[in-house]
Amino acid sequence: KQWYQRRVPITAGIRFQTVSCDFQKIFPMGKKLFIGLPGLATDVMTFANELKFHTNLYSLSEDRELSPKTFLSMVSNFLYQRRFGPYFIEPVIAGLDEKNEPFIASTDLIGCPMVTNDFVVAGTCLEQLYGMCETLYKPEMEPDQLFETISQCLLNAQDRDAYSGWGGVVYIIEANKITKRELKARMD
């Protein structure tokens, strides 16, 4: 089964308790591996730096890229270690494995993983995103269809949530390239 024909998207909105209009919420953790971190800004920065340090350490010691499944275990373990004083984040992991098969997963704030083959959502407009993704998702989309679908899901969900908005950023991860596009939306 070729889900998304060997491509996977990840997207993030801009606003919630706005730190700045260019606050990074999606971080590259490998050539074809990204993590989205919705949540408290200080925890996002701290956790992203900790993950980047450990992924670089893994690459140096193992002399290979971190696989998405191994990365999910790392994220889950780090979050579970802090379960009594957790990071206020909900990680979303998207990437391609060694065979260029799509991998998407998420965890809660104490590290309970959820791996799926269609979509995962997190953040303030969670309920709206579920509705939009369930309505518009279909397997085996081309990159432009995938971009349009994920963009419409994000923008329409943001329109129905007072804490969300101001646009977003979309990454489409493919075997041979990564495409990043920014979305503009209402700023009210």
Side-chain angles (χ1 to χ4, degrees):
K1 179 178 176 181
Q2 291 186 348
W3 179 73
Y4 284 152
Q5 296 180 351
R6 301 181 189 266
R7 64 187 63 90
V8 63
I10 186 169
T11 186
I14 293 175
R15 179 179 135 196
F16 175 67
Q17 308 279 332
T18 305
V19 176
S20 71
C21 286
D22 62 350
F23 182 71
Q24 186 177 5
K25 295 180 186 175
I26 298 178
F27 301 89
M29 293 291 153
K31 291 179 184 170
K32 297 181 277 186
L33 180 62
F34 285 77
I35 187 168
L37 297 171
L40 186 63
T42 53
D43 289 350
V44 167
M45 293 185 302
T46 302
F47 194 68
N49 288 335
E50 184 178 340
L51 284 177
K52 193 62 180 171
F53 170 76
H54 285 284
T55 54
N56 288 341
L57 192 62
Y58 180 92
S59 295
L60 285 172
S61 65
E62 297 293 323
D63 198 30
R64 61 187 164 115
E65 285 284 320
L66 194 59
S67 75
K69 288 181 183 174
T70 306
F71 183 66
L72 175 62
S73 295
M74 178 189 291
V75 169
S76 183
N77 287 331
F78 285 153
L79 290 173
Y80 190 71
Q81 288 173 355
R82 301 224 4 165
R83 67 190 174 277
F84 298 115
Y87 289 116
F88 293 105
I89 57 174
E90 296 177 78
V92 174
I93 298 166
L96 299 175
D97 64 13
E98 302 82 20
K99 298 175 185 173
N100 288 322
E101 294 293 325
F103 180 86
I104 55 172
S106 67
T107 72
D108 61 8
L109 76 160
I110 62 167
C112 180
M114 182 187 76
V115 179
T116 184
N117 63 353
D118 48 12
F119 59 86
V120 295
V121 298
T124 58
C125 61
L126 185 71
E127 293 85 7
Q128 293 84 357
L129 278 169
Y130 267 121
M132 289 304 303
C133 290
E134 287 173 349
T135 302
L136 298 178
Y137 165 78
K138 59 183 179 185
E140 299 181 17
M141 288 188 258
E142 294 298 320
D144 289 336
Q145 287 178 301
L146 188 56
F147 169 74
E148 189 63 32
T149 299
I150 198 167
S151 300
Q152 288 303 317
C153 287
L154 180 68
L155 294 175
N156 286 310
Q158 286 178 345
D159 283 346
R160 296 186 171 274
D161 184 55
Y163 284 132
S164 303
W166 295 6
V169 60
V170 176
Y171 291 84
I172 305 291
I173 307 161
E174 298 180 75
N176 57 351
K177 68 178 179 176
I178 296 170
T179 306
K180 176 185 175 184
R181 295 181 185 164
E182 294 188 11
L183 306 172
K184 299 291 180 194
R186 298 182 348 203
M187 296 187 80
D188 56 355

